[in-house]
Amino acid sequence: MSIPGCAETYHSGQQSLRGGSVRARQSEQRDQHQKVHRVRQGDIVALPAGVAHWCYNDGNEELVAVSVNDLNNNANQLEQKLRSFYLAGGHQQIYSSVQSAEQQQQQRETFQNVFRAFDENMMAEAFNLPVEIIRRMQQEDQRGFIVRVTGEGMKMIRPEEEEEYEERYQSRRANGLEEVYCNLKIRQYLDNPKEADIYTRQAGRINYANGQKLQILNYMDMSAEKGNLYPNAMHAPHWTMNAHSVFYVTRGEAHVQVVGSNGQTVLNDRVNQGDLFVVPQQFVSTIRAGNDGFEYVAFKTSSQPMKSPLVGYTSALKAMPIQVLANSFQISTQEAQNLKYNREHQTMLLPPRNVKSS
């Protein structure tokens, strides 16, 4: 990321102390830039609105990433529309738009980087460069926005992998007060079983990334959770009180049901790997994993989301008197007691009925 106003704290070709004297490494090409972050499978990365960024895959397999933008964020002062633009690259996109039930029309839309539209002489003066270089920056680019690096690949200064590996698997007991905007952590490993926030041996685990764990999320007012449900386990019926949730299925399949505030079902279907579904604020949802288990990542529009479950020892029903439940549902006192206490030792993640919890 390139955060405006923050220092370029990574330098190459600096002077080094050798044999008691200071010598400059003239053989190295000097460069300085802001921190380069290493990300791996299971990481969540938070990018503030409007910050220029790039991503380079130097691994040996494809990088698959899911990106979610909160258009209601206070940083978006124009309209509820995503306005991302590119500093390099371009492509031509062909898509079909339905004009009527019988007619389809193909349309072309060309996306080019923002430099292409500027006057070349003004850009040459601004960068203090020859016009020929600006023209190369402005030429129409049909490679797209994902391009292959030529030659032997890119080399840049970045932290030692051993240090980042340790940071990934060891919890740093920091309170966040030592972080300032320019050096806020932007990533968190969201799939570490040792750091699960909710864990049930027979049902699975849930990991949270919120404003308490990742301070930058307080600026963005967003958060995420990673869920891992064991075969036939259930995510208890609940609603999120202060956030919308966007679920993306990363593995397995499950039966998902979502009920709106009017008491009508808005989703009652099976979801599979690669599917995405939305649960609005105050809508009640539940998930039952399939025979092979179920994993998901959910993005939420609050840095401190609050869930209100209907089942378990923190549920809304367990906090009510038995007589209130009995009269509300027209059931006996014993049935109301069972309704209230049958899952009192569990919360959020429920094992199958034929499996006893421990």
Side-chain angles (χ1 to χ4, degrees):
M1 294 191 306
S2 299
I3 304 178
C6 296
E8 298 169 348
T9 56
Y10 280 55
H11 295 237
S12 66
Q14 298 183 84
Q15 292 182 333
S16 61
L17 187 63
R18 297 178 181 176
S21 63
V22 178
R23 300 178 182 177
R25 300 176 184 174
Q26 299 295 341
S27 60
E28 294 184 9
Q29 183 178 1
R30 292 181 179 272
D31 188 18
Q32 58 187 47
H33 52 75
Q34 293 187 17
K35 182 178 180 179
V36 178
H37 304 265
R38 168 70 65 181
V39 297
R40 300 180 179 87
Q41 180 176 341
D43 284 347
I44 181 173
V45 181
L47 301 176
V51 170
H53 57 277
W54 53 267
C55 180
Y56 171 51
N57 184 1
D58 60 353
N60 56 8
E61 59 184 352
E62 290 183 351
L63 171 67
V64 180
V66 180
S67 176
V68 174
N69 297 275
D70 182 9
L71 303 183
N72 283 320
N73 193 285
N74 292 331
N76 186 8
Q77 299 186 26
L78 292 172
E79 57 184 345
Q80 290 187 1
K81 180 179 179 180
L82 178 62
R83 292 179 178 270
S84 62
F85 61 89
Y86 295 87
L87 300 180
H91 74 99
Q92 189 175 74
Q93 178 177 336
I94 302 177
Y95 61 93
S96 299
S97 61
V98 179
Q99 304 296 328
S100 64
E102 299 83 13
Q103 181 183 7
Q104 267 196 350
Q105 180 180 353
Q106 281 194 342
Q107 297 183 359
R108 294 175 180 265
E109 188 168 1
T110 300
F111 295 88
Q112 294 294 329
N113 66 70
V114 293
F115 287 112
R116 182 171 171 79
F118 280 98
D119 179 82
E120 60 183 29
N121 293 310
M122 293 183 65
M123 289 296 99
E125 181 178 354
F127 284 97
N128 193 22
L129 289 173
V131 177
E132 290 73 19
I133 297 180
I134 302 299
R135 288 172 181 166
R136 292 188 61 182
M137 296 171 60
Q138 293 180 330
Q139 65 184 2
E140 186 171 340
D141 196 338
Q142 296 298 333
R143 296 178 301 166
F145 296 123
I146 302 178
V147 301
R148 287 194 172 274
V149 174
T150 58
E152 299 180 355
M154 297 195 302
K155 296 180 180 179
M156 62 203 72
I157 321 164
R158 55 176 212 76
E160 294 296 330
E161 292 213 28
E162 291 79 8
E163 296 177 3
E164 295 210 2
Y165 182 86
E166 292 297 325
E167 178 184 338
R168 177 184 176 88
Y169 289 102
Q170 293 182 2
S171 177
R172 297 171 59 188
R173 302 301 181 185
N175 59 13
L177 295 177
E178 72 284 354
E179 295 185 11
V180 294
Y181 189 78
C182 285
N183 65 350
L184 283 172
K185 286 178 56 180
I186 68 163
R187 65 181 177 85
Q188 176 184 328
Y189 183 40
L190 197 55
D191 203 18
N192 190 348
K194 296 181 180 180
E195 297 183 354
D197 295 277
I198 297 176
Y199 174 72
T200 302
R201 184 176 298 176
Q202 292 80 17
R205 67 178 187 270
I206 297 178
N207 292 57
Y208 294 128
N210 54 29
Q212 294 179 343
K213 293 185 175 182
L214 199 58
Q215 297 294 316
I216 196 171
L217 295 177
N218 290 317
Y219 292 90
M220 303 169 61
D221 201 23
M222 295 184 70
S223 60
E225 72 176 57
K226 176 66 167 60
N228 186 330
L229 274 65
Y230 296 163
N232 301 311
M234 178 179 288
H235 194 305
H238 70 281
W239 67 90
T240 302
M241 301 167 63
N242 58 343
H244 305 303
S245 303
V246 180
F247 285 79
Y248 179 78
V249 183
T250 58
R251 187 188 68 82
E253 55 91 20
H255 182 192
V256 177
Q257 188 166 16
V258 181
V259 176
S261 54
N262 59 357
Q264 301 295 319
T265 299
V266 295
L267 175 63
N268 186 14
D269 204 353
R270 303 202 73 82
V271 295
N272 299 276
Q273 180 176 337
D275 287 346
L276 184 147
F277 61 94
V278 178
V279 179
Q281 175 190 9
Q282 307 286 16
F283 279 40
V284 181
S285 65
T286 186
I287 301 173
R288 185 183 182 90
N291 294 329
D292 297 324
F294 180 71
E295 294 184 21
Y296 69 88
V297 58
F299 304 92
K300 296 179 178 291
T301 57
S302 171
S303 62
Q304 304 290 346
M306 298 176 61
K307 290 182 177 181
S308 182
L310 288 173
V311 177
Y313 73 84
T314 60
S315 73
L317 297 185
K318 189 172 182 295
M320 297 181 183
I322 290 178
Q323 291 297 327
V324 172
L325 298 177
N327 286 275
S328 297
F329 296 111
Q330 294 185 338
I331 56 180
S332 68
T333 302
Q334 182 60 49
E335 291 169 334
Q337 184 170 349
N338 294 337
L339 174 67
K340 180 173 179 176
Y341 290 111
N342 272 3
R343 292 283 193 176
E344 67 172 331
H345 299 299
Q346 300 158 354
T347 183
M348 297 313 298
L349 296 179
L350 311 177
R353 296 181 66 177
N354 58 350
V355 177
K356 294 182 179 180
S357 61
S358 62

